[in-house]
Short mmCIF file of all heavy atoms in Angstrom, two decimals:
data_model
loop_
_atom_site.label_atom_id
_atom_site.label_comp_id
_atom_site.label_asym_id
_atom_site.label_seq_id
_atom_site.Cartn_x
_atom_site.Cartn_y
_atom_site.Cartn_z
N HIS G 34 2.04 -5.50 -4.18
CA HIS G 34 2.33 -4.14 -3.71
C HIS G 34 3.70 -3.72 -4.26
O HIS G 34 4.70 -4.44 -4.10
CB HIS G 34 2.33 -4.14 -2.19
CG HIS G 34 2.50 -2.80 -1.54
ND1 HIS G 34 1.44 -1.93 -1.35
CD2 HIS G 34 3.60 -2.19 -1.03
CE1 HIS G 34 1.89 -0.83 -0.74
NE2 HIS G 34 3.19 -0.97 -0.54
N ASP G 36 6.53 -0.83 -4.27
CA ASP G 36 7.03 0.33 -3.54
C ASP G 36 7.98 1.16 -4.38
O ASP G 36 9.13 0.78 -4.61
CB ASP G 36 7.76 -0.14 -2.27
CG ASP G 36 6.78 -0.61 -1.21
OD1 ASP G 36 5.86 0.17 -0.86
OD2 ASP G 36 6.94 -1.74 -0.72
N PHE G 42 11.94 11.67 -0.91
CA PHE G 42 10.89 11.59 0.13
C PHE G 42 11.31 10.55 1.18
O PHE G 42 11.03 10.71 2.37
CB PHE G 42 9.56 11.19 -0.53
CG PHE G 42 8.43 11.10 0.46
CD1 PHE G 42 7.86 12.24 1.01
CD2 PHE G 42 7.94 9.86 0.87
CE1 PHE G 42 6.83 12.16 1.95
CE2 PHE G 42 6.91 9.77 1.79
CZ PHE G 42 6.35 10.93 2.33
N VAL G 66 0.30 0.29 -6.48
CA VAL G 66 1.53 1.09 -6.53
C VAL G 66 1.54 2.12 -5.40
O VAL G 66 0.62 2.92 -5.26
CB VAL G 66 1.67 1.79 -7.91
CG1 VAL G 66 2.82 2.79 -7.89
CG2 VAL G 66 1.90 0.75 -9.00
N HIS G 67 2.59 2.07 -4.61
CA HIS G 67 2.77 2.97 -3.46
C HIS G 67 3.91 3.93 -3.78
O HIS G 67 5.08 3.53 -3.82
CB HIS G 67 3.09 2.10 -2.22
CG HIS G 67 3.39 2.88 -0.99
ND1 HIS G 67 3.97 2.31 0.14
CD2 HIS G 67 3.19 4.19 -0.66
CE1 HIS G 67 4.11 3.22 1.08
NE2 HIS G 67 3.66 4.37 0.62
N LEU G 68 3.55 5.17 -4.05
CA LEU G 68 4.54 6.18 -4.44
C LEU G 68 5.10 6.87 -3.21
O LEU G 68 4.39 7.64 -2.55
CB LEU G 68 3.90 7.25 -5.33
CG LEU G 68 3.41 6.86 -6.72
CD1 LEU G 68 2.80 8.09 -7.41
CD2 LEU G 68 4.55 6.27 -7.56
N MET G 69 6.35 6.61 -2.89
CA MET G 69 7.03 7.35 -1.83
C MET G 69 7.95 8.33 -2.54
O MET G 69 9.15 8.09 -2.72
CB MET G 69 7.80 6.38 -0.92
CG MET G 69 6.87 5.62 0.02
SD MET G 69 7.56 4.05 0.58
CE MET G 69 7.15 3.04 -0.84
N ILE G 88 -3.07 3.68 -7.37
CA ILE G 88 -1.89 4.53 -7.17
C ILE G 88 -2.11 5.31 -5.87
O ILE G 88 -3.09 6.04 -5.73
CB ILE G 88 -1.67 5.50 -8.35
CG1 ILE G 88 -1.50 4.71 -9.67
CG2 ILE G 88 -0.44 6.38 -8.08
CD1 ILE G 88 -1.29 5.57 -10.90
N THR G 89 -1.19 5.09 -4.94
CA THR G 89 -1.28 5.72 -3.62
C THR G 89 -0.09 6.66 -3.45
O THR G 89 1.05 6.26 -3.65
CB THR G 89 -1.26 4.63 -2.52
OG1 THR G 89 -2.43 3.82 -2.68
CG2 THR G 89 -1.25 5.23 -1.13
N PHE G 90 -0.40 7.89 -3.09
CA PHE G 90 0.68 8.85 -2.83
C PHE G 90 0.61 9.30 -1.38
O PHE G 90 -0.37 9.02 -0.67
CB PHE G 90 0.58 10.05 -3.80
CG PHE G 90 -0.69 10.87 -3.66
CD1 PHE G 90 -0.75 11.94 -2.79
CD2 PHE G 90 -1.82 10.55 -4.40
CE1 PHE G 90 -1.92 12.69 -2.64
CE2 PHE G 90 -3.00 11.29 -4.27
CZ PHE G 90 -3.04 12.36 -3.38
N HIS G 91 1.63 10.02 -0.94
CA HIS G 91 1.68 10.45 0.45
C HIS G 91 1.08 11.83 0.65
O HIS G 91 1.44 12.78 -0.06
CB HIS G 91 3.12 10.42 0.98
CG HIS G 91 3.45 9.09 1.54
ND1 HIS G 91 3.30 8.78 2.86
CD2 HIS G 91 3.84 7.95 0.93
CE1 HIS G 91 3.60 7.52 3.07
NE2 HIS G 91 3.94 6.98 1.90
N LEU G 92 0.22 11.93 1.64
CA LEU G 92 -0.34 13.23 2.01
C LEU G 92 0.79 14.23 2.29
O LEU G 92 0.69 15.41 1.93
CB LEU G 92 -1.21 13.06 3.27
CG LEU G 92 -1.87 14.32 3.81
CD1 LEU G 92 -2.92 14.84 2.84
CD2 LEU G 92 -2.51 14.06 5.18
N GLU G 93 1.86 13.74 2.89
CA GLU G 93 2.96 14.63 3.29
C GLU G 93 3.72 15.20 2.09
O GLU G 93 4.49 16.15 2.24
CB GLU G 93 3.94 13.86 4.20
CG GLU G 93 3.31 13.29 5.46
CD GLU G 93 2.64 11.93 5.27
OE1 GLU G 93 2.75 11.36 4.16
OE2 GLU G 93 2.00 11.44 6.21
N ALA G 94 3.51 14.60 0.92
CA ALA G 94 4.25 15.04 -0.27
C ALA G 94 3.38 15.86 -1.23
O ALA G 94 3.89 16.39 -2.21
CB ALA G 94 4.79 13.82 -1.02
N ALA G 95 2.09 15.94 -0.93
CA ALA G 95 1.18 16.58 -1.89
C ALA G 95 0.59 17.86 -1.30
O ALA G 95 0.26 17.91 -0.12
CB ALA G 95 0.06 15.61 -2.25
N SER G 98 -4.09 17.72 -2.94
CA SER G 98 -4.46 16.30 -2.91
C SER G 98 -5.78 16.01 -3.60
O SER G 98 -5.92 14.96 -4.24
CB SER G 98 -4.52 15.81 -1.47
OG SER G 98 -3.25 15.87 -0.88
N LEU G 102 -5.97 13.19 -6.48
CA LEU G 102 -6.87 12.04 -6.37
C LEU G 102 -7.82 11.99 -7.57
O LEU G 102 -8.07 10.93 -8.15
CB LEU G 102 -7.68 12.10 -5.06
CG LEU G 102 -6.86 11.88 -3.78
CD1 LEU G 102 -7.67 12.31 -2.56
CD2 LEU G 102 -6.44 10.42 -3.64
N ALA G 112 -7.67 5.50 -6.44
CA ALA G 112 -6.83 6.58 -5.93
C ALA G 112 -6.64 6.41 -4.42
O ALA G 112 -7.61 6.37 -3.66
CB ALA G 112 -7.49 7.93 -6.22
N GLY G 113 -5.36 6.33 -4.02
CA GLY G 113 -5.06 6.11 -2.61
C GLY G 113 -4.20 7.20 -2.03
O GLY G 113 -3.46 7.90 -2.73
N ILE G 114 -4.30 7.33 -0.71
CA ILE G 114 -3.47 8.30 -0.01
C ILE G 114 -2.90 7.61 1.23
O ILE G 114 -3.58 6.81 1.88
CB ILE G 114 -4.28 9.58 0.27
CG1 ILE G 114 -3.39 10.73 0.64
CG2 ILE G 114 -5.36 9.38 1.28
CD1 ILE G 114 -3.96 12.07 0.25
N SER G 115 -1.65 7.91 1.52
CA SER G 115 -0.95 7.25 2.61
C SER G 115 -0.48 8.30 3.61
O SER G 115 -0.15 9.43 3.23
CB SER G 115 0.26 6.49 2.05
OG SER G 115 0.96 5.81 3.07
N ILE G 116 -0.42 7.90 4.89
CA ILE G 116 0.13 8.80 5.92
C ILE G 116 1.22 8.07 6.70
O ILE G 116 1.09 6.88 7.02
CB ILE G 116 -0.95 9.35 6.88
CG1 ILE G 116 -1.82 8.25 7.50
CG2 ILE G 116 -1.82 10.39 6.18
CD1 ILE G 116 -2.77 8.74 8.60
N VAL G 117 2.29 8.81 7.02
CA VAL G 117 3.39 8.25 7.81
C VAL G 117 2.96 8.23 9.29
O VAL G 117 1.97 8.88 9.66
CB VAL G 117 4.71 9.04 7.61
CG1 VAL G 117 5.12 9.08 6.15
CG2 VAL G 117 4.61 10.46 8.18
N PRO G 118 3.69 7.51 10.13
CA PRO G 118 3.27 7.38 11.53
C PRO G 118 3.07 8.68 12.29
O PRO G 118 2.22 8.76 13.18
CB PRO G 118 4.39 6.53 12.15
CG PRO G 118 4.84 5.66 11.01
CD PRO G 118 4.78 6.56 9.80
N THR G 120 1.84 11.50 11.15
CA THR G 120 0.72 12.31 10.64
C THR G 120 -0.59 11.86 11.27
O THR G 120 -0.95 10.69 11.17
CB THR G 120 0.62 12.19 9.10
OG1 THR G 120 1.84 12.65 8.52
CG2 THR G 120 -0.54 13.00 8.55
N PRO G 121 -1.33 12.78 11.91
CA PRO G 121 -2.60 12.39 12.51
C PRO G 121 -3.64 12.01 11.45
O PRO G 121 -3.68 12.63 10.38
CB PRO G 121 -3.06 13.66 13.25
CG PRO G 121 -1.90 14.59 13.26
CD PRO G 121 -1.00 14.20 12.13
N ALA G 122 -4.46 11.05 11.77
CA ALA G 122 -5.49 10.60 10.82
C ALA G 122 -6.48 11.72 10.52
O ALA G 122 -7.07 11.78 9.43
CB ALA G 122 -6.21 9.38 11.37
N MET G 124 -5.97 14.60 9.72
CA MET G 124 -5.51 15.38 8.57
C MET G 124 -6.19 14.93 7.27
O MET G 124 -6.15 15.65 6.27
CB MET G 124 -3.99 15.24 8.38
CG MET G 124 -3.17 15.76 9.52
SD MET G 124 -2.89 17.52 9.43
CE MET G 124 -1.65 17.61 8.15
N LEU G 125 -6.76 13.75 7.29
CA LEU G 125 -7.40 13.21 6.08
C LEU G 125 -8.87 13.56 5.99
O LEU G 125 -9.53 13.23 5.00
CB LEU G 125 -7.25 11.68 6.05
CG LEU G 125 -5.83 11.14 5.89
CD1 LEU G 125 -5.81 9.64 6.20
CD2 LEU G 125 -5.33 11.39 4.48
N LEU G 128 -10.52 14.73 2.90
CA LEU G 128 -10.25 13.91 1.71
C LEU G 128 -11.03 12.59 1.71
O LEU G 128 -11.09 11.90 0.69
CB LEU G 128 -8.74 13.61 1.62
CG LEU G 128 -7.86 14.83 1.34
CD1 LEU G 128 -6.40 14.50 1.60
CD2 LEU G 128 -8.04 15.29 -0.11
N VAL G 132 -11.43 9.44 -1.74
CA VAL G 132 -10.40 8.41 -1.89
C VAL G 132 -11.02 7.03 -2.04
O VAL G 132 -12.11 6.75 -1.54
CB VAL G 132 -9.43 8.33 -0.68
CG1 VAL G 132 -8.52 9.52 -0.63
CG2 VAL G 132 -10.16 8.16 0.62
N LEU G 134 -8.79 4.42 -1.32
CA LEU G 134 -7.94 3.62 -0.43
C LEU G 134 -7.16 4.56 0.49
O LEU G 134 -6.64 5.59 0.03
CB LEU G 134 -6.98 2.84 -1.33
CG LEU G 134 -6.08 1.74 -0.80
CD1 LEU G 134 -5.64 0.87 -1.97
CD2 LEU G 134 -4.86 2.27 -0.10
N ILE G 135 -7.12 4.22 1.75
CA ILE G 135 -6.25 4.95 2.69
C ILE G 135 -5.26 3.96 3.27
O ILE G 135 -5.66 2.90 3.78
CB ILE G 135 -7.06 5.63 3.80
CG1 ILE G 135 -7.87 6.77 3.20
CG2 ILE G 135 -6.12 6.17 4.89
CD1 ILE G 135 -8.69 7.52 4.17
N GLN G 136 -4.01 4.32 3.17
CA GLN G 136 -2.96 3.44 3.67
C GLN G 136 -2.32 4.08 4.89
O GLN G 136 -1.79 5.20 4.81
CB GLN G 136 -1.93 3.24 2.57
CG GLN G 136 -0.83 2.29 2.95
CD GLN G 136 0.20 2.20 1.86
OE1 GLN G 136 0.11 1.39 0.96
NE2 GLN G 136 1.18 3.06 1.92
N VAL G 137 -2.42 3.38 6.00
CA VAL G 137 -1.80 3.86 7.23
C VAL G 137 -0.45 3.16 7.36
O VAL G 137 -0.38 1.93 7.49
CB VAL G 137 -2.72 3.54 8.44
CG1 VAL G 137 -2.01 3.88 9.76
CG2 VAL G 137 -4.04 4.30 8.33
N MET G 138 0.62 3.96 7.29
CA MET G 138 1.96 3.37 7.45
C MET G 138 2.16 2.98 8.91
O MET G 138 1.88 3.79 9.82
CB MET G 138 3.04 4.37 7.05
CG MET G 138 3.12 4.73 5.59
SD MET G 138 3.35 3.35 4.45
CE MET G 138 4.84 2.57 5.08
N THR G 139 2.64 1.79 9.12
CA THR G 139 2.90 1.32 10.48
C THR G 139 4.41 1.23 10.75
O THR G 139 4.83 0.65 11.74
CB THR G 139 2.18 -0.03 10.71
OG1 THR G 139 2.30 -0.86 9.54
CG2 THR G 139 0.70 0.19 10.94
N VAL G 140 5.19 1.80 9.84
CA VAL G 140 6.63 2.11 10.04
C VAL G 140 6.87 3.43 9.31
O VAL G 140 6.06 3.82 8.47
CB VAL G 140 7.58 1.03 9.44
CG1 VAL G 140 7.37 -0.33 10.06
CG2 VAL G 140 7.44 0.97 7.91
N ASP G 141 7.99 4.07 9.58
CA ASP G 141 8.40 5.19 8.73
C ASP G 141 8.87 4.57 7.41
O ASP G 141 9.76 3.69 7.42
CB ASP G 141 9.54 5.98 9.38
CG ASP G 141 9.00 7.08 10.29
OD1 ASP G 141 8.02 7.75 9.90
OD2 ASP G 141 9.55 7.25 11.39
N PRO G 142 8.29 5.00 6.28
CA PRO G 142 8.62 4.32 5.03
C PRO G 142 10.08 4.50 4.62
O PRO G 142 10.74 5.46 5.03
CB PRO G 142 7.68 4.99 4.02
CG PRO G 142 7.31 6.29 4.62
CD PRO G 142 7.34 6.09 6.11
N LYS G 156 -5.13 4.87 14.53
CA LYS G 156 -5.57 5.65 13.36
C LYS G 156 -6.45 4.80 12.45
O LYS G 156 -7.40 5.30 11.85
CB LYS G 156 -4.34 6.17 12.59
CG LYS G 156 -3.52 7.15 13.40
CD LYS G 156 -2.56 7.92 12.54
CE LYS G 156 -1.27 7.20 12.32
NZ LYS G 156 -0.29 8.04 11.59
N LEU G 160 -10.23 5.80 11.52
CA LEU G 160 -10.66 5.94 10.12
C LEU G 160 -11.80 4.96 9.79
O LEU G 160 -12.72 5.31 9.04
CB LEU G 160 -9.47 5.72 9.18
CG LEU G 160 -8.44 6.86 9.21
CD1 LEU G 160 -7.12 6.41 8.60
CD2 LEU G 160 -8.97 8.10 8.50
N SER G 174 -5.81 0.20 4.46
CA SER G 174 -4.64 -0.65 4.31
C SER G 174 -3.61 -0.32 5.39
O SER G 174 -3.50 0.84 5.80
CB SER G 174 -4.04 -0.39 2.92
OG SER G 174 -2.85 -1.10 2.72
N VAL G 175 -2.88 -1.31 5.84
CA VAL G 175 -1.74 -1.06 6.73
C VAL G 175 -0.48 -1.55 6.04
O VAL G 175 -0.50 -2.57 5.34
CB VAL G 175 -1.88 -1.74 8.11
CG1 VAL G 175 -2.95 -1.05 8.94
CG2 VAL G 175 -2.17 -3.23 7.99
N ASP G 176 0.61 -0.83 6.23
CA ASP G 176 1.86 -1.13 5.52
C ASP G 176 3.05 -0.87 6.43
O ASP G 176 3.26 0.26 6.88
CB ASP G 176 1.93 -0.25 4.26
CG ASP G 176 3.14 -0.55 3.40
OD1 ASP G 176 3.84 -1.55 3.66
OD2 ASP G 176 3.38 0.21 2.45
N GLY G 177 3.83 -1.93 6.66
CA GLY G 177 5.08 -1.78 7.41
C GLY G 177 5.14 -2.67 8.63
O GLY G 177 4.34 -2.51 9.56
N VAL G 196 -0.49 -5.20 3.83
CA VAL G 196 0.71 -5.21 3.00
C VAL G 196 1.78 -5.95 3.79
O VAL G 196 1.94 -5.71 4.99
CB VAL G 196 1.18 -3.78 2.67
CG1 VAL G 196 2.50 -3.81 1.88
CG2 VAL G 196 0.11 -3.04 1.88
#
Side-chain angles (χ1 to χ4, degrees):
H34 185 83
D36 285 306
F42 181 74
V66 171
H67 176 194
L68 293 179
M69 284 156 278
I88 302 179
T89 296
F90 63 90
H91 271 267
L92 179 67
E93 301 84 6
S98 296
L102 291 166
I114 196 151
S115 181
I116 53 172
V117 302
T120 300
M124 297 277 284
L125 293 167
L128 293 166
V132 290
L134 189 161
I135 291 181
Q136 183 184 271
V137 174
M138 292 303 305
T139 41
V140 299
D141 272 318
K156 296 195 275 186
L160 290 163
S174 175
V175 288
D176 184 9
V196 176

